[in-house]
Amino acid sequence: MDAVVVYASQFGNTRQIAEAIGRGLGPDARVLEADGFSPAQLSPGSLLVVGSPIVGWKPLEGLGVWLDGLVPGVLDGVRTAAFDTRVKLFIHGDAAKKIEQALEKAGAERAADPTWYYVAGSEGPLLDGEIERAEAWGRELAAA
Ligand SMILES: Cc1cc2nc3c(=O)[nH]c(=O)nc-3n(C[C@H](O)[C@H](O)[C@H](O)COP(=O)(O)O)c2cc1C
């Protein structure tokens, strides 16, 4: 199965989660920054996982631009899942659901509900156990 994890990250926490999901997906999974990745490379049946920190109640600006650039139909037949990272004590807003909505608008089929991972403060670190939880999610997505 072709599997790609695409992410944006300011302080590296979302990158660490993306890499953990990639490890869970398996040795052939690619983990890439959204900038420069064209979803037109994906074929039907591929799995695309997309993640971002929540910044001001929405995805990081660069990922938002990437999502806005998705042409309707470009993800036809592609299975997708979305995640975000957020600070445990903030009133969060949401990025994962907004990512999912944009992916579905481009034709994607939802492979799993949106999910999230916690950081201790704006710059991190990730809370204990979040890397392991992300790896486990990757394994679940690969098995689904
Ligand atoms: C300017 C700014 C705005 C933020 N806004 C939110 C927010 O609305 N909700 C939230 O839960 N976290 C918010 N955060 C915390 C980020 O989600 C946190 O910095 C992020 O998970 C770190 O991921 P990264 O290391 O990949 O950049 C904000 C952080 C910054 C710097």
Side-chain angles (χ1 to χ4, degrees), residues 7-16 52-58 60 84-94 117-119 121-124:
Y7 69 92
S9 180
Q10 258 182 312
F11 303 112
N13 300 283
T14 312
R15 176 176 49 74
Q16 288 183 61
S52 170
I54 304 181
V55 177
W57 292 50
K58 51 188 190 185
L60 191 60
D84 65 45
T85 60
R86 52 181 72 181
V87 174
K88 183 110 193 178
L89 297 178
F90 278 20
I91 298 169
H92 302 293
D94 199 285
Y117 299 90
Y118 286 117
V119 294
S122 285
E123 297 187 22

Side-chain angles (χ1 to χ4, degrees), residues 2-28:
D2 186 25
V4 183
V5 185
V6 168
Y7 69 92
S9 180
Q10 258 182 312
F11 303 112
N13 300 283
T14 312
R15 176 176 49 74
Q16 288 183 61
I17 292 293
E19 287 168 351
I21 294 167
R23 284 194 297 278
L25 285 170
D28 296 331

